[in-house]
Amino acid sequence: MVRSYKRQLGSRPYQNYSVEVLRAAVADVKSNKKSIREASEFYGIPKSTIGDKVKGTHDKNPGRQPVLNTDEEANLAHGISTAATWGFPLVEYDVRKVVQSYLNRKGVQIDRFSDNLPGVDWVKKFLSRNRQLSVRLAQNIKRSRASVNHATIQQYFDELKISLEGVPPENIINYDETNFSDDPGRVKIVCKRGSKNCDRVIDATKTSISVMMAASPSGTLLPPFVVYKAKHRYQEWEENGPLGCRYSCTPSGWFDARAFGEWFQEIVLPYYRNKEGKKLMIGDNLSSHITLDVIQKCEENNITFALLPANSTHVCQPLDVAYFGPLKKCWRRILTDWKLKRRGPFQKSDFPTLLNRTLNEIKATSEKNIISGFRATGIWPLNADQVLKRIPRQQDENNDPNASLLSDSLLDFLKTSRMPEPKRKTKRKRINVTAGKAVEIRDFSAPEAILNQVGQEVDLEDFDDEPLSVMRDQILEKKRLDLLEAGPSHHDDFPTEHFEEENLTDSNLKDKPEVQNVKPGMFVIVKVPIEHSSDIKYYAAKVIEKVGEDTESPLLQVRFLRKKKD
């Protein structure tokens, strides 16, 4: 089936006219410029059609009528927009499933749909009828970012208003670090139809280099500060870079407290040296960006900090909002051109040149983008509504029963398909076991399991708010059961996905107990000598079987509860 089919006028014996021509004919008749007969002859439209449109007795379009009426489609489009606003956008298949659920709730069976599920063409036509919707690439954000609310943003702007009093725009800078990756990304290519493997030969790695960028609302971009992942710096890593660029290195390749202090000393202070009055720096709340030395220098130079709300940089960080996007797009293009002419990843000595080319290429639009970023984040000029309008609010419910059915269908779909109940992992606890002491399974069990192993009724209310170890001791003491002494150990919880079996003797067990006193089901700490070394490691194991119990040298068959290294 041709997806882009468009009927030509004259291809069928009815409606051989456009909608605009029909509207013009009806308008002439209603304004008494022409009679129905005259309008029919002049526009080439049947008299009955013009008469029906004038009287309003037939307002439907010719051909098969749509599955959803105008109001239903409007409610569906509103629901799709709301879902996208709340951070759960629907793909085309999701829209089809929502419509299927709505039709099933309504009790309507559509013959043209298979099991009431609309086809791909229906979605395309639906989007063409609702131009307020469009298909775009989504940007993934974490749930923590999506949880930023109006109260948090409003409080931030209330404080920012006080911080900005008496500060000129050239004395404000926003700083943020970003990384330049060695991967130019994927692109669309022209290839043979039906090709399964469409590869582009290009050397890409996961290498990245951190760069601290800073800008002011006046459009000024401060020199970048590059941090390499290395222990030492070399001269060729700092040649042919951007004007005024500074360089440093850290073991991780990211900014730590020392690197941030160097950036502040070599980039920020020289920029503020000739600026009079109060000065303000706006950035994220990373602990490595706030050090005692930096704070002292800020006090000496009349500089204050304004920290952004947590998880809000996607709406409050000017560089993130309007500058880094064009910068990274230009970087990928320049990196692609560089890689097509060379083999292997770029070296640290190549990075300054590539960074300089990138900044020079976007220099024409850099000032405009920076100013737009500060305006879009409401920092300069100060306007909280610029950010608040991007934070979703609770929408009022519609009293229309069809709208309610659509809302229920959409909510059910989001609940089952887009927002499944997360599986919460229990926090791993350290096992308090003395090395070399045999322990029983109840030393690692939950209170309910302890009660089951005790085999008698115990009132848990007698042990409320007690730690597990205390509860266990009290229960066992109350039932007059022997409890092996427990103590601290360096071992973590035992993973259960892997077991190794081995037979042990007295010499393998650490200190006590002796093999004669160990029973199946107990836990023991096993001594394992390291080959070609005098070191000894200890591993926890569970006794499975006791072999040769009546002999002088019985053996223990155990399962190690720590994965054995190859």
Side-chain angles (χ1 to χ4, degrees):
M1 178 179 178
V2 180
R3 303 297 184 190
S4 59
Y5 171 77
K6 185 176 181 180
R7 186 182 68 85
Q8 300 294 329
L9 296 180
S11 60
R12 63 189 184 188
Y14 62 92
Q15 199 187 3
N16 289 322
Y17 49 85
S18 63
V19 178
E20 290 76 13
V21 173
L22 176 60
R23 291 175 180 173
V26 173
D28 287 349
V29 173
K30 289 184 175 181
S31 61
N32 296 324
K33 293 182 179 180
K34 293 182 176 64
S35 64
I36 294 179
R37 181 184 296 275
E38 293 173 343
S40 174
E41 295 176 353
F42 181 81
Y43 291 104
I45 302 175
K47 293 185 295 181
S48 60
T49 300
I50 299 178
D52 290 339
K53 295 297 181 181
V54 172
K55 297 176 183 178
T57 56
H58 184 67
D59 56 353
K60 296 181 179 179
N61 294 326
R64 176 179 284 181
Q65 299 305 306
V67 174
L68 305 179
N69 58 38
T70 304
D71 293 336
E72 290 173 332
E73 288 203 352
N75 290 332
L76 176 60
H78 177 71
I80 294 173
S81 300
T82 303
T85 302
W86 282 95
F88 295 95
L90 276 63
V91 299
E92 292 185 359
Y93 179 74
D94 299 340
V95 176
R96 295 164 60 193
K97 294 294 290 185
V98 170
V99 174
Q100 181 190 38
S101 176
Y102 168 69
L103 294 176
N104 291 337
R105 286 174 176 271
K106 195 177 179 182
V108 177
Q109 183 64 40
I110 306 299
D111 295 336
R112 75 185 87 164
F113 295 161
S114 176
D115 194 22
N116 266 358
L117 181 65
V120 177
D121 291 321
W122 183 90
V123 178
K124 295 185 181 299
K125 292 296 183 181
F126 168 77
L127 294 175
S128 66
R129 292 190 296 269
N130 296 270
R131 293 294 183 179
Q132 71 272 27
L133 302 176
S134 63
V135 179
R136 299 180 57 184
L137 289 175
Q139 181 178 358
N140 299 329
I141 64 171
K142 296 181 179 179
R143 291 180 183 270
S144 57
R145 287 194 170 192
S147 63
V148 177
N149 54 39
H150 273 249
T152 302
I153 299 300
Q154 188 62 60
Q155 182 180 5
Y156 157 70
F157 274 99
D158 291 342
E159 298 294 335
L160 184 63
K161 181 178 180 181
I162 300 175
S163 301
L164 286 174
E165 290 181 356
V167 182
E170 60 272 11
N171 285 8
I172 304 171
I173 66 169
N174 168 237
Y175 63 88
D176 192 19
E177 60 180 292
T178 185
N179 68 313
F180 288 80
S181 173
D182 187 43
D183 187 359
R186 301 173 62 183
V187 295
K188 293 182 178 180
I189 62 173
V190 180
C191 61
K192 182 180 179 181
R193 183 180 297 276
S195 299
K196 295 183 178 180
N197 298 320
C198 300
D199 300 327
R200 180 176 60 156
V201 179
I202 191 168
D203 294 327
T205 66
K206 296 182 179 180
T207 302
S208 61
I209 296 178
S210 301
V211 179
M212 180 71 79
M213 309 292 293
S216 70
S218 59
T220 303
L221 180 68
L222 277 67
F225 190 89
V226 179
V227 171
Y228 295 113
K229 182 178 181 180
K231 293 183 178 180
H232 306 284
R233 291 159 50 186
Y234 297 91
Q235 183 177 355
E236 57 267 24
W237 296 358
E238 305 178 5
E239 296 176 349
N240 304 319
L243 182 64
C245 182
R246 297 292 185 270
Y247 305 87
S248 184
C249 61
T250 62
S252 64
W254 291 97
F255 274 78
D256 55 15
R258 180 186 59 81
F260 186 82
E262 292 179 3
W263 168 79
F264 182 83
Q265 181 70 33
E266 299 180 16
I267 300 296
V268 177
L269 291 183
Y271 173 77
Y272 278 145
R273 184 169 293 124
N274 299 324
K275 300 290 190 299
E276 299 293 337
K278 185 180 177 182
K279 309 170 185 67
L280 179 66
M281 294 177 59
I282 302 175
D284 51 39
N285 57 355
L286 291 180
S287 58
S288 62
H289 292 174
I290 307 297
T291 64
L292 179 61
D293 183 58
V294 170
I295 294 176
Q296 291 175 347
K297 292 179 180 178
C298 286
E299 293 179 352
E300 295 172 359
N301 293 273
N302 196 17
I303 302 174
T304 57
F305 272 100
L307 301 182
L308 299 173
N311 305 311
S312 68
T313 56
H314 62 296
V315 292
C316 295
Q317 183 79 275
L319 292 175
D320 271 354
V321 171
Y323 183 74
F324 284 158
L327 176 68
K328 294 300 181 64
K329 184 178 180 180
C330 180
W331 164 260
R332 288 191 291 268
R333 183 172 63 253
I334 291 177
L335 182 62
T336 300
D337 295 339
W338 185 88
K339 284 183 173 293
L340 292 176
K341 301 175 184 178
R342 297 170 179 81
R343 292 184 178 182
F346 70 78
Q347 304 297 321
K348 293 182 176 67
S349 57
D350 301 318
F351 180 74
T353 302
L354 296 176
L355 180 62
N356 189 30
R357 288 179 54 188
T358 303
L359 294 178
N360 287 336
E361 188 162 326
I362 66 167
K363 189 175 182 180
T365 60
S366 176
E367 180 178 351
K368 179 181 178 181
N369 291 337
I370 293 172
I371 295 175
S372 299
F374 278 92
R375 183 185 302 110
T377 53
I379 295 178
W380 193 271
L382 186 66
N383 185 3
D385 293 336
Q386 290 288 344
V387 179
L388 292 176
K389 68 181 181 182
R390 302 172 62 183
I391 307 298
R393 283 183 178 273
Q394 186 73 26
Q395 301 293 331
D396 296 333
E397 295 185 356
N398 197 326
N399 294 324
D400 184 13
N402 287 335
S404 178
L405 287 177
L406 271 171
S407 299
D408 293 341
S409 301
L410 183 59
L411 289 175
D412 287 347
F413 173 79
L414 292 176
K415 186 181 298 183
T416 57
S417 301
R418 313 299 285 183
M419 293 184 292
E421 184 67 22
K423 296 182 180 179
R424 298 184 180 274
K425 296 183 178 180
T426 57
K427 186 177 180 180
R428 301 183 66 186
K429 300 179 181 178
R430 299 182 67 86
I431 302 175
N432 294 324
V433 180
T434 301
K437 293 289 186 178
V439 293
E440 298 181 38
I441 187 64
R442 56 174 169 264
D443 292 308
F444 310 96
S445 302
E448 294 78 3
I450 294 175
L451 296 180
N452 292 335
Q453 291 199 3
V454 170
Q456 300 185 30
E457 294 183 358
V458 176
D459 190 1
L460 283 177
E461 295 181 357
D462 296 337
F463 308 99
D464 284 346
D465 301 326
E466 292 285 2
L468 177 59
S469 59
V470 176
M471 182 188 298
R472 179 195 61 225
D473 294 347
Q474 293 179 357
I475 292 175
L476 295 178
E477 182 180 358
K478 184 176 181 179
K479 294 304 175 180
R480 298 179 180 178
L481 297 177
D482 294 332
L483 178 66
L484 296 176
E485 182 182 359
S489 172
H490 62 278
H491 294 283
D492 296 331
D493 282 348
F494 301 142
T496 58
E497 69 274 10
H498 184 79
F499 298 93
E500 293 288 344
E501 296 188 2
E502 187 171 331
N503 294 330
L504 303 177
T505 61
D506 283 344
S507 61
N508 296 108
L509 299 182
K510 184 177 185 298
D511 299 334
K512 296 181 179 180
E514 298 177 350
V515 171
Q516 295 285 359
N517 301 328
V518 178
K519 299 179 181 180
M522 290 185 173
F523 286 86
V524 294
I525 303 300
V526 182
K527 296 191 298 184
V528 179
I530 306 301
E531 295 183 6
H532 310 295
S533 174
S534 60
D535 295 339
I536 295 178
K537 288 191 175 182
Y538 300 95
Y539 296 94
K542 180 181 179 181
V543 179
I544 303 300
E545 185 180 358
K546 194 170 184 179
V547 183
E549 186 172 358
D550 298 333
T551 63
E552 295 181 358
S553 301
L555 298 177
L556 296 179
Q557 187 179 25
V558 301
R559 286 181 180 174
F560 284 96
L561 298 182
R562 295 177 70 92
K563 187 174 181 180
K564 188 175 181 181
K565 296 183 179 180
D566 296 333

